[in-house]
Amino acid sequence: LKEGIFKKTYTILFLILGNFLTAYATIHFLLPAKISPGGVSGIATILYHIFNINPVITMAVINVPLILISIKLFGKRYGYKTVLSIALLILFTEILIRVLGTEGILHENGQKMDLMLTVIYGGIISGVGIGLVIKVGGSTGGTVIIASIINKLFKIPIGSSLALADLLVVLAAAFSLGVETALYSIICLFITGRVVNVITEGESYAKMVYIISDKYDEIKKVLITDMELGGTMIKSSGMFTDDAKNMIITVVHNRKLSELKSYIKEIDRDAFVIIAEADQVLGE
């Protein structure tokens, strides 16, 4: 019971801190600099500078329908963590706009700051925020959900779907805010992605996971149905008992590793799991 309470508290704290940092990076660094590094915040930045639409309105209008669609398509996979995370992001964005305005650090003390500094620090802070949210199985919504929907409907790999969705936002920034802004946005997108990977699971972008469990069939079903992952089953046996076991080997993106560990823990708390670096993944 205590472990469950601690885990929920830890999750909520990470969701609060992560979404606050994400909102702060957007409002104080990226929005004033017209940097649009993908995602709903990138779309909000474009619409704010072209039509003066409040970023909070854009976030709500885009994310709410996406949440409803994703719940219908994926069920419990997009549960309370995603809904809570997006609600916190919208709330913190509104609060920070009211408190800090939209001039941001770019014009601090009446002096214009080097644009590259806002790109670097905005990307780092945003990456830390998104990384904390992903680490506890949450989502900041937007292109992450869009990528999941594309993957579900058209079977395009989730990584490619996410890159495509973010690329479309950056291209929109190039047409509407200028090529220079788009180039800065790509740098910011790269920095954010690298920081997210470091925060979630270290330097490599994927992990190789070895799973040995008596509840092999249940874990296999979750991998295929809920997480849309493949894997390899290897017949094995214990050294001391010689009992026959089924071992699953699968490769999972850092973004989905926390979700996989949660599923395994729910199914079999005694499962033997080894997680190793996967520096390169080739083939399907």
Side-chain angles (χ1 to χ4, degrees), residues 12-31:
I12 291 172
L13 286 176
F14 267 49
L15 288 176
I16 291 172
L17 179 59
N19 282 289
F20 174 80
L21 290 174
T22 304
Y24 178 73
T26 300
I27 298 305
H28 210 48
F29 288 89
L30 306 181
L31 182 70

Side-chain angles (χ1 to χ4, degrees), residues 2-284:
K2 286 184 178 179
E3 184 181 347
I5 294 173
F6 174 78
K7 184 179 178 181
K8 286 183 179 179
T9 304
Y10 163 90
T11 298
I12 291 172
L13 286 176
F14 267 49
L15 288 176
I16 291 172
L17 179 59
N19 282 289
F20 174 80
L21 290 174
T22 304
Y24 178 73
T26 300
I27 298 305
H28 210 48
F29 288 89
L30 306 181
L31 182 70
K34 299 183 180 180
I35 301 302
S36 176
V40 171
S41 61
I43 298 172
T45 297
I46 295 171
L47 294 181
Y48 173 76
H49 286 288
I50 296 177
F51 302 110
N52 199 31
I53 298 174
N54 188 323
V56 174
I57 295 175
T58 302
M59 290 180 178
V61 168
I62 294 177
N63 274 315
V64 171
L66 286 177
I67 291 173
L68 296 176
I69 293 170
S70 60
I71 288 175
K72 185 174 180 61
L73 286 175
F74 305 112
K76 66 176 184 179
R77 186 173 160 195
Y78 282 89
Y80 81 94
K81 291 179 186 177
T82 295
V83 175
L84 176 60
S85 180
I86 292 173
L88 285 169
L89 182 61
I90 292 172
L91 174 64
F92 285 136
T93 301
E94 176 65 22
I95 292 172
L96 289 171
I97 287 176
R98 290 178 181 272
V99 174
L100 301 176
T102 55
E103 288 297 310
I105 202 169
L106 193 65
H107 301 283
E108 194 79 12
N109 299 322
Q111 295 181 342
K112 190 169 183 178
M113 184 176 287
D114 185 349
L115 191 60
M116 183 57 77
L117 288 177
T118 62
V119 169
I120 293 172
Y121 284 95
I124 291 172
I125 295 171
S126 179
V128 171
I130 295 171
L132 291 176
V133 172
I134 292 173
K135 196 171 181 68
V136 292
S139 168
T140 53
T143 48
V144 176
I145 297 179
I146 292 172
S148 299
I149 294 172
I150 292 173
N151 171 257
K152 178 78 173 180
L153 297 178
F154 303 105
K155 305 303 179 184
I156 299 174
I158 191 77
S160 301
S161 301
L162 185 60
L164 175 62
D166 284 331
L167 178 62
L168 291 175
V169 176
V170 172
L171 288 175
F175 283 109
S176 57
L177 302 177
V179 175
E180 183 180 6
T181 296
L183 293 175
Y184 275 117
S185 297
I186 292 171
I187 294 172
C188 186
L189 181 61
F190 175 79
I191 293 171
T192 299
R194 292 295 297 170
V195 174
V196 167
N197 283 346
V198 171
I199 292 294
T200 51
E201 295 298 336
E203 283 290 339
S204 67
Y205 75 94
K207 294 289 186 290
M208 181 178 288
V209 183
Y210 302 83
I211 309 164
I212 300 176
S213 170
D214 292 330
K215 297 183 179 180
Y216 162 80
D217 289 326
E218 293 179 52
I219 294 176
K220 173 187 171 184
K221 183 178 179 182
V222 165
L223 281 171
I224 296 172
T225 305
D226 293 330
M227 299 197 65
E228 298 181 349
L229 292 173
T232 300
M233 188 276 285
I234 296 178
K235 295 287 185 180
S236 59
S237 60
M239 286 182 63
F240 295 105
T241 62
D242 285 329
D243 289 342
K245 300 281 186 181
N246 288 330
M247 178 170 68
I248 298 171
I249 300 178
T250 186
V251 175
V252 58
H253 194 286
N254 284 341
R255 291 174 180 269
K256 302 179 79 172
L257 183 59
S258 296
E259 183 183 1
L260 174 59
K261 290 192 290 187
S262 296
Y263 275 130
I264 294 171
K265 193 171 183 179
E266 285 177 16
I267 296 169
D268 183 5
R269 298 178 68 87
D270 297 321
F272 185 71
V273 181
I274 301 173
I275 300 171
E277 301 287 351
D279 293 324
Q280 291 189 6
V281 180
L282 306 175
E284 292 295 327

